[in-house]
Amino acid sequence: MTGVVLAVLLGTAAMVALLAVVFTLSATRRSEPGLGARPPAPRAAAVPNGGVAPPPRPGAVDGSWNAMILGGGVIGAMGGTLNATFGRFDLVGGSLSFTRDGASGADWTAPCGHLRVHQLGLVVAKGDVELNGPMGQVRATVSRERVNRITRNSFKDVREQGYAREFVHVLLLNGAFHG
């Protein structure tokens, strides 16, 4: 009988240790270098009188985030990847652009001053945001990490909520409107 109890205790301890390792590895950030907010690059754009463009407004930053534009219909409304478009958001000089994976140029570019942005509620367990502007209404998942295309990762979804907060904050700093 003591052998059975000992085996159960050892099995339980091994399972707890395994779960701790899996949790630790899943919960750590695997952010891609170069993604996220960063100070604006110096701009030496020429202006008509031969001078240079004024510096960016205080607090404005540039940045890049991986993105999944959610498709329409029921699958898109539930956050499914079946009809989603994957790519990257780039914020440079107060304008946000989206470029599909493999495309040579941006699908669209919009000045932040023409955008309304908000993070979708706390009920959504991912980094989902909604943008409204000249490109129409866009629901997207933003991340500093590679956006999962097939599998789900609940720990990563929680990290992506932080990436979405950062993304919304940076757009607001660059002149977007909350809403």
Side-chain angles (χ1 to χ4, degrees):
M1 181 67 149
T2 50
V4 171
V5 171
L6 185 59
V8 168
L9 287 175
L10 287 174
T12 302
M15 184 62 73
V16 168
L18 178 65
L19 288 173
V21 168
V22 168
F23 176 78
T24 302
L25 292 175
S26 296
T28 56
R29 294 179 184 248
R30 290 182 206 99
S31 177
E32 292 182 22
L35 294 182
R38 62 183 173 272
R43 297 183 214 352
V47 292
N49 65 2
V52 294
R57 52 184 226 144
V61 294
D62 291 343
S64 297
W65 294 264
N66 287 325
M68 173 180 70
I69 304 290
L70 301 174
V74 174
I75 293 173
M78 294 187 325
T81 62
L82 189 60
N83 59 350
T85 304
F86 294 87
R88 184 171 160 147
F89 283 126
D90 290 300
L91 175 62
V92 178
S95 290
L96 180 69
S97 63
F98 175 74
T99 306
R100 275 178 287 128
D101 285 347
S104 59
D107 288 15
W108 52 262
T109 300
C112 288
H114 296 156
L115 296 176
R116 289 200 171 283
V117 61
H118 72 277
Q119 183 173 0
L120 298 178
L122 293 175
V123 175
V124 179
K126 293 173 56 169
D128 290 349
V129 296
E130 184 175 276
L131 299 164
N132 289 289
M135 70 293 187
Q137 182 183 40
V138 174
R139 280 191 56 214
T141 298
V142 295
S143 182
R144 285 189 185 184
E145 304 172 40
R146 184 181 169 278
V147 177
N148 290 353
R149 295 176 186 234
I150 298 173
T151 61
R152 303 227 12 126
N153 180 338
S154 298
F155 296 116
K156 184 176 175 185
D157 290 347
V158 171
R159 290 192 306 269
E160 285 176 346
Q161 287 179 343
Y163 302 144
R165 278 191 298 277
E166 173 192 54
F167 179 73
V168 169
H169 180 71
V170 168
L171 289 179
L172 294 173
L173 284 174
N174 279 277
F177 299 94
H178 194 270

